[in-house]
């Protein structure tokens, strides 16, 4: 699949990002007590900053910071509680890593606004601008990339892939209407969100259709339930399964991968890029 974007981003924080030269790795930092994989481990800003440094040293290009677990069945938190969790963590991570790109994992506009003021560079919205009507305006006002992750209230579809694309196109239209620049729109198929096991497997094989929309695509499969179910293993023992999904995603055109196991997946990405990007350049 062709690389969709070949673009340099320079953020107000001073962080820089090159999209299109190779696959970018987004490392996960959960400032939450209840995330399925690492809940409670990095709620203190100092510990979060130390972990962020480890992620960056292992190969993370972006560090995604979230204050509310988005696992199925996870409890929602108030805006005040989410801000209490994420703002000090973002500030601490930004001090420790002034050159690393940070994203805020939230669907609340005020959380996004304060997170950007604290040093975040990208909004990662798991509800694709659909939950908070002010989110698109915040993204437009800050001129920052916004990741639109597919989601629905329930896993009900007429035609899965077509419906996912239609939903994302609706969110793209919201973003553009609010003034978000086209190059600041990234997409995420929303693996694990409002999707059954068979939906996730089917969508993994159809990522090329999503990449064909002409926007950068982020793939977030790390340690998710459909991988754990296939392998029959707990979340901390499925790095090989995650790696398999990452390889398939890159081969179909995904440009960013969101993962817990940064060191192992960064190596997987490097090897996959050597094949996929070499093939593209050879043809060009």
């Amino acid at each position: 699949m062709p690389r969709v974007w070949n673009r340099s981003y320079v953020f107000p924080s001073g962080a820089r990002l090159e999209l299109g030269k190779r696959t970018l790795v987004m490392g996960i930092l959960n400032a939450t007590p209840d995330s399925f994989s690492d809940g409670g481990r990095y709620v203190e800003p100092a510990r979060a900053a130390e972990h962020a440094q480890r992620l960056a040293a292992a190969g993370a290009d972006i560090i995604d910071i979230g204050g509310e677990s988005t696992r199925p069945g996870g409890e929602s938190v108030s805006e005040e509680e989410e801000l209490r969790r994420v703002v000090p963590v973002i500030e601490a991570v930004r001090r420790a890593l002034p050159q690393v790109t940070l994203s805020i994992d939230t669907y609340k506009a005020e959380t996004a606004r304060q997170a950007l003021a604290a040093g975040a560079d990208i909004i990662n919205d798991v509800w694709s601008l659909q939950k908070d009507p002010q989110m698109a305006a915040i993204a437009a006002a800050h001129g920052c990339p916004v990741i639109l992750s597919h989601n629905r209230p329930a896993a009900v579809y007429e035609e899965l892939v077509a419906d996912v694309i239609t939903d994302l196109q609706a969110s793209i239209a919201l973003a553009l209407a609010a003034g978000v620049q086209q190059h600041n729109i990234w997409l995420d198929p929303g693996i694990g969100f409002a999707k059954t096991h068979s939906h996730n497997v089917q969508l993994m094989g159809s990522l090329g259709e999503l990449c064909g929309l002409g926007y950068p695509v982020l793939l977030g499969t790390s340690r998710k339930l459909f991988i754990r179910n296939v392998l029959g293993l707990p979340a901390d023992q499925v790095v090989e399964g995650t790696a398999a999904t990452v390889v398939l995603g890159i081969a179909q055109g995904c440009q960013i991968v969101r993962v817990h196991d940064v060191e192992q997946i960064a190596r997987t990405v490097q090897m996959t890029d050597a094949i996929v990007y070499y093939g593209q350049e050879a043809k060009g």
Side-chain angles (χ1 to χ4, degrees):
M1 297 296 295
R3 281 168 281 180
V4 177
W5 289 104
N6 196 334
R7 183 177 180 83
S8 298
Y9 293 87
V10 181
F11 301 109
S13 68
R16 294 171 178 266
L17 201 65
E18 287 281 339
L19 185 60
K21 302 292 186 183
R22 58 180 176 82
T23 303
L24 301 180
V25 176
M26 175 186 279
I28 299 168
L29 200 169
N30 290 314
T32 58
D34 59 341
S35 291
F36 75 87
S37 181
D38 55 3
R41 295 177 64 183
Y42 309 117
V43 294
E44 294 297 325
R47 291 191 67 185
E50 290 173 0
H51 184 56
Q53 288 175 305
R54 289 192 292 271
L55 294 175
D61 301 289
I62 306 167
I63 296 174
D64 191 43
I65 299 170
E68 177 178 326
S69 176
T70 54
R71 64 183 172 84
E75 293 186 8
S76 61
V77 301
S78 68
E79 179 182 284
E80 292 76 14
E81 175 62 17
E82 188 178 38
L83 286 166
R84 186 190 69 78
R85 294 176 182 180
V86 300
V87 169
V89 167
I90 292 169
E91 291 173 340
V93 173
R94 176 51 70 208
R95 286 193 298 269
L97 295 167
Q99 302 301 318
V100 174
T101 301
L102 306 181
S103 57
I104 173 65
D105 181 356
T106 186
Y107 55 85
K108 301 181 184 74
E110 182 59 20
T111 299
R113 187 187 70 78
Q114 292 196 35
L116 292 166
D121 306 295
I122 296 170
I123 298 170
N124 183 13
D125 185 350
V126 300
W127 276 101
S128 190
L129 307 180
Q130 301 287 343
K131 272 283 188 180
D132 190 328
Q134 298 304 312
M135 183 66 94
I138 292 293
H142 284 79
C144 65
V146 57
I147 302 165
L148 309 180
S149 180
H150 181 267
N151 210 339
R152 273 188 173 191
V156 179
Y157 302 89
E158 292 186 10
E159 292 191 21
L160 175 68
V161 178
D163 289 352
V164 167
I165 289 173
T166 296
D167 291 350
L168 285 172
Q169 286 173 327
S171 291
I172 291 168
L174 280 177
L176 294 173
V180 176
Q181 296 181 62
Q182 191 172 39
H183 67 259
N184 279 333
I185 297 172
W186 300 5
L187 304 181
D188 181 336
I191 299 292
F193 291 95
K195 295 171 187 71
T196 66
H197 178 89
S198 61
H199 289 153
N200 289 318
V201 173
Q202 180 185 348
L203 194 54
M204 276 300 310
S206 304
L207 294 172
E209 295 185 47
L210 184 59
C211 294
L213 295 178
Y215 295 89
V217 173
L218 179 149
L219 180 64
T221 54
S222 185
R223 301 184 179 181
K224 289 197 171 174
L225 183 60
F226 84 106
I227 298 174
R228 283 143 47 200
N229 284 343
V230 169
L231 298 180
L233 292 170
D236 61 352
Q237 295 182 32
V238 294
V239 64
E240 299 91 346
T242 298
T245 62
V246 164
V247 171
L248 286 169
I250 295 170
Q252 293 177 79
C254 296
Q255 292 183 278
I256 313 103
V257 294
R258 181 182 183 272
V259 298
H260 298 85
D261 302 292
V262 169
E263 183 174 39
Q264 298 93 323
I265 300 303
R267 293 172 182 169
T268 302
V269 165
Q270 184 179 2
M271 188 65 237
T272 309
D273 280 357
I275 299 166
V276 172
Y277 278 38
Y278 172 81
Q280 292 172 9
E281 290 170 2
K283 291 175 185 175

